[in-house]
Amino acid sequence: MSAEPQLFRINPENRESEKIAEVEFASLGFQERRDIQEWVAANPEILGEDLLIIGKEFSGFDKVSDRLDLLAVDADGKLVVIELKRDDSGADAHWQAIKYASYLRRARADDIIRMLAEYSETSDTDATDSLLQPLNADDFNSLNNNQRIILASHRFAPEVTSAALWLNEKARSEDLITYVQLTPYQALHRGCHAPYR
């Protein structure tokens, strides 16, 4: 008997079941930017928390031409760098995201308002209102007092998890890097894919 969990999709109307199996995003033809990034931008709760996306493919850093995948603000006002990888994180995804977070450490409220206004194609006034809502505040005193990172991928390289665990242990008060595993599944017989988790 297999120790691996077995997943089935059940049709409640005819009570038939079909087995679903973990697959690669690549085997389904899904791409990092065109697909995964768009899903997360439209539904940031995929990452397990309430986030306000304020930038996509953001490259407005001083003196460097780097480009981060997604930028968000969490409920505590922290800027959240979201780095997405498709099926494998690679060996240095954490370093890439740490660089981006360091570039953002001095971003002021007006910078963040401008980022959101550009991303959402709204006015600075509307962006200000959108930012104040998730903060449950009347001002921006808590905005960007700190930064953190979310790495999301199907799998994570041991170099990435080891470095992040060490960094989180040193920080002690909070996790600076959070991992979210995105796992695609597909029905074995019909070819239609089940939602990923």
Side-chain angles (χ1 to χ4, degrees):
M1 189 159 140
S2 172
E4 291 293 314
Q6 303 293 309
L7 296 177
F8 293 85
R9 181 179 6 208
I10 309 297
N11 182 329
E13 292 176 15
N14 62 17
R15 301 192 186 280
E16 289 182 3
S17 65
E18 62 181 324
K19 189 172 182 180
I20 60 175
E22 183 175 335
V23 295
E24 301 288 307
F25 281 114
S27 71
L28 299 172
F30 293 144
Q31 296 179 4
E32 192 173 294
R33 283 189 181 157
R34 189 189 71 206
D35 298 305
I36 298 170
Q37 182 173 280
E38 293 303 316
W39 298 331
V40 174
N43 304 287
E45 63 273 9
I46 287 172
L47 301 176
E49 61 182 286
D50 291 330
L51 297 167
L52 174 65
I53 303 294
I54 64 168
K56 179 169 56 174
E57 293 295 314
F58 181 78
S59 62
F61 303 119
D62 188 32
K63 300 179 184 174
V64 295
S65 59
D66 292 341
R67 181 181 303 267
L68 63 77
D69 292 335
L70 294 171
L71 182 61
V73 175
D74 71 10
D76 296 325
K78 295 179 184 127
L79 284 184
V80 183
V81 171
I82 302 167
E83 190 60 26
L84 305 168
K85 301 298 181 191
R86 185 169 61 173
D87 286 311
D88 194 315
S89 69
D92 58 0
H94 59 299
W95 173 239
Q96 186 179 9
I98 288 168
K99 284 191 310 178
Y100 300 152
S102 75
Y103 299 158
L104 293 161
R105 73 187 183 282
R106 291 200 175 99
R108 300 181 319 264
D110 57 331
D111 299 321
I112 296 166
I113 290 167
R114 188 171 51 253
M115 290 174 201
L116 177 56
E118 287 176 15
Y119 172 69
S120 59
E121 299 178 350
T122 61
S123 68
D124 285 1
T125 302
D126 288 343
T128 298
D129 293 342
S130 295
L131 272 171
L132 285 173
Q133 257 184 336
L135 295 177
N136 294 322
D138 297 326
D139 58 41
F140 292 120
N141 289 334
S142 64
L143 189 60
N144 201 25
N145 287 335
N146 209 341
Q147 306 78 41
R148 63 190 190 88
I149 295 164
I150 295 177
L151 298 176
S153 181
H154 185 177
R155 285 181 305 279
F156 296 97
E159 300 92 333
V160 174
T161 54
S162 177
L165 288 170
W166 177 83
L167 193 62
N168 287 343
E169 283 176 10
K170 295 297 179 187
R172 290 196 179 134
S173 62
E174 62 184 323
D175 286 345
L176 298 178
I177 300 179
T178 303
Y179 293 97
V180 176
Q181 184 177 13
L182 305 175
T183 308
Y185 290 90
Q186 182 176 38
L188 292 180
H189 299 293
R190 298 202 181 139
C192 62
H193 49 85
Y196 61 90
R197 62 173 178 177

